[in-house]
Amino acid sequence: MEKIVNGYLQFKESGFEERKDLFEKLSNSQSPEVLFITCSDSRIDPNLITQTEPGDLFVIRNAGNIVPPHTRESDGIAASIEFAVVALGVKHIVVCGHSNCGAMKGALNTSGLTALPKVKGWLNYCSEAVTIVQSRERNLASDELDSVTQENVLLQIRRLEQYPEISKRMTTGSIEIHGWVYEIGEGTIKCFNQEKQGFIEL
């Protein structure tokens, strides 16, 4: 905690002052271009890996960068998506998974989550990705985690496309969805390429 408090003091003394004009502008409004949906993993810093400033990204984070299916019931993620798309008018949505994801490991081995029942229940939203990967005869066990990570990103994109406020804007071309996987140890991002039907380096 001491490190975090010292970090704040350093920010107040230098970081804030260096961007004082930006923060003054942001104090009254925001107009991000991108909704960035990623994992809660502490190793992921959306602003760092995209070199963006405060106000550039509207960020949703949760274990496994999951988008629950659209329903009439309200939940925090659906409300945040609705706000970003309808109220803020974002033009792009990025779903960003990452290498060595603990949530994806859990989705692959739900029997090991008996002590984490809420996590186990949440990761049911990834089960379809696991089923797709494990049904591919060509899939190698050594690639299983990476494959599930990528397939999970695509699954969440399909879910986003079912949100009425998003599907409506996709038909007019006013919003685009992008699938990314961040490789932590390499500092690279792979992006899903529709034409090649695979993930290639951004």
Side-chain angles (χ1 to χ4, degrees), residues 11-193:
F11 163 73
K12 185 64 178 169
E13 291 173 7
S14 58
F16 178 81
E17 291 299 323
E18 290 170 5
R19 295 175 173 82
K20 196 168 185 178
D21 290 343
L22 172 63
F23 288 118
E24 186 175 344
K25 179 182 176 183
L26 292 173
S27 66
N28 294 313
S29 65
Q30 62 172 321
S31 55
E33 185 179 349
V34 179
L35 165 58
F36 200 93
I37 302 173
T38 194
C39 189
S40 298
D41 194 297
S42 63
R43 297 169 292 178
I44 313 302
D45 185 334
N47 290 110
L48 179 64
I49 65 176
T50 60
Q51 291 293 282
T52 48
E53 292 281 5
D56 289 338
L57 305 177
F58 189 86
V59 180
I60 297 174
R61 302 186 69 157
N62 63 68
N65 39 271
I66 287 169
V67 176
H70 181 269
T71 66
R72 295 183 179 221
E73 296 180 10
S74 297
D75 66 66
I77 294 175
S80 297
I81 291 170
E82 180 182 73
F83 184 77
V85 173
V86 179
L88 297 178
V90 297
K91 306 298 181 190
H92 299 272
I93 302 175
V94 174
V95 179
C96 183
H98 66 93
S99 59
N100 196 34
C101 181
M104 297 305 100
K105 289 179 181 177
L108 279 163
N109 181 28
T110 55
S111 62
L113 298 174
T114 52
L116 301 167
K118 292 199 182 329
V119 173
K120 185 175 182 178
W122 178 249
L123 294 181
N124 282 335
Y125 290 128
C126 303
S127 60
E128 185 181 330
V130 173
T131 300
I132 290 171
V133 168
Q134 292 182 338
S135 67
R136 294 176 186 156
E137 293 183 2
R138 67 179 183 276
N139 186 66
L140 301 176
S142 59
D143 298 329
E144 193 172 46
L145 179 58
D146 290 342
S147 296
V148 168
T149 299
Q150 292 180 359
E151 195 61 49
N152 181 62
V153 167
L154 300 180
L155 172 61
Q156 308 316 319
I157 289 175
R158 291 194 294 274
R159 295 235 181 89
L160 281 169
E161 291 171 345
Q162 299 303 311
Y163 279 62
E165 58 269 26
I166 293 175
S167 61
K168 184 167 53 177
R169 286 164 175 76
M170 290 183 70
T171 59
T172 62
S174 59
I175 199 167
E176 295 180 15
I177 305 179
H178 313 269
W180 289 8
V181 173
Y182 170 54
E183 298 288 337
I184 296 172
E186 300 173 10
T188 57
I189 290 173
K190 291 180 180 177
C191 176
F192 182 73
N193 183 291

